Amino acid sequence: MVRAPLFRSFVREESGVTLAEGLIAMPLVLLIFAAFVEFGYAAFQWNQTVKALQFGARRAAVSSSMVAGFDPAIVTALAPGSTNGGVAIPVGALGPWTCTGSPACTTELNRIVYGAPGVTSCQPIGTGSPAMCQLNPRIGIDNVRVTYMMSGLGYYGRPGGAVLTIRMEVLGITFNLPLLGALLGLNNVTVPAMPVTVTSEDLNTNSGS
C-alpha cells in the first residue's frame, strides 16, 4: 500500500511535465510547419503553371495555327463577288476553333509544349526551342487547351488573315503535395485552368523555329 505522504509527494511532483507537454504538442507543431511548407510549394506550382501558360500563349501568338485544318487567312477571305472587303468582322462571327491535345491539334502544339514538332516528351534545355514543359515539367499536350476566337479587330479581305484572340489554359493537372496529400487526401486538388489570353500577331512568323 502506498503511504499517504508518498502519494501526495508524487502528485505534487512536476519534473518531466515540460517533456510530456512537448511530446503532446510536437506532432501538431510539425503538422502546422509541414502545412506552411507545402502550401508554399503549392504556390510555387501555381506560379510555374501561370508562367508556362504566359510563355505558351506568347509563342502561340507568333506561330502557325495549332488547330488541325484551321487557317486564319481563309476565315477572312472574300467569297467570289463579295462586297464585304474592308468590313470589320464582328466578335464571335466566326469560330471559336479549339484543340485539346492530340489528335485535335497539329504538331505545332508539340513544339510549343515540348520544344520540337516531332517529339512527345520534354526536351532538355538548350535542345530545340524553349518550351512550356521546361517551366512546368508536369505539363503535356493533353493538359493544354488552345482556343482561337475572332477578336473584332480583323476585317474581311485583310492581308495575312484574321486578327485572333488566342486563349490558352491547362486541364487535368493536380497539385503535388507529398505530405498533406498522403495525410489529408489533398493530392486530388486540381490546378485551376488559369486561362491566359493574347491577341495574335503574324501567325506564321515563328512557326519554323
Side-chain angles (χ1 to χ4, degrees):
M1 179 180 293
V2 179
R3 291 181 296 178
L6 182 59
F7 179 75
R8 286 194 295 270
S9 176
F10 174 77
V11 171
R12 290 194 297 268
E13 180 62 52
E14 295 184 357
S15 61
V17 171
T18 302
L19 177 61
E21 291 175 346
L23 291 175
I24 294 172
M26 184 60 69
L28 180 60
V29 172
L30 291 177
L31 182 61
I32 293 174
F33 177 75
F36 276 112
V37 172
E38 295 226 317
F39 280 124
Y41 184 40
F44 171 73
Q45 295 174 61
W46 180 296
N47 187 60
Q48 269 188 318
T49 305
V50 170
K51 295 303 180 184
L53 282 171
Q54 290 173 345
F55 172 80
R58 184 68 187 88
R59 290 298 296 269
V62 293
S63 299
S64 297
S65 169
M66 287 177 277
V67 178
F70 168 62
D71 183 350
I74 294 176
V75 299
T76 56
L78 288 172
S82 173
T83 59
N84 288 334
V87 176
I89 303 176
V91 176
L94 299 169
W97 301 269
T98 301
C99 74
T100 305
S102 179
C105 303
T106 66
T107 55
E108 193 67 26
L109 183 60
N110 290 59
R111 184 180 65 81
I112 292 176
V113 174
Y114 295 135
V119 300
T120 57
S121 61
C122 195
Q123 300 301 292
I125 295 176
T127 302
S129 302
M132 293 175 65
C133 66
Q134 294 168 356
L135 295 170
N136 187 340
R138 303 178 68 201
I139 291 181
I141 61 170
D142 292 328
N143 303 119
V144 177
R145 177 163 58 201
V146 183
T147 304
Y148 295 87
M149 300 171 289
M150 298 305 300
S151 64
L153 299 177
Y155 57 88
Y156 290 103
R158 177 181 181 271
V163 178
L164 303 170
T165 295
I166 303 172
R167 185 178 68 217
M168 184 174 286
E169 53 197 325
V170 294
L171 304 168
I173 297 179
T174 57
F175 287 105
N176 179 23
L177 303 173
L179 181 59
L180 295 183
L183 292 177
L184 304 177
L186 296 181
N187 273 335
N188 294 324
V189 178
T190 303
V191 177
M194 295 185 287
V196 174
T197 302
V198 296
T199 301
S200 69
E201 297 176 14
D202 176 357
L203 289 179
N204 291 298
T205 298
N206 207 31
S207 59
S209 61

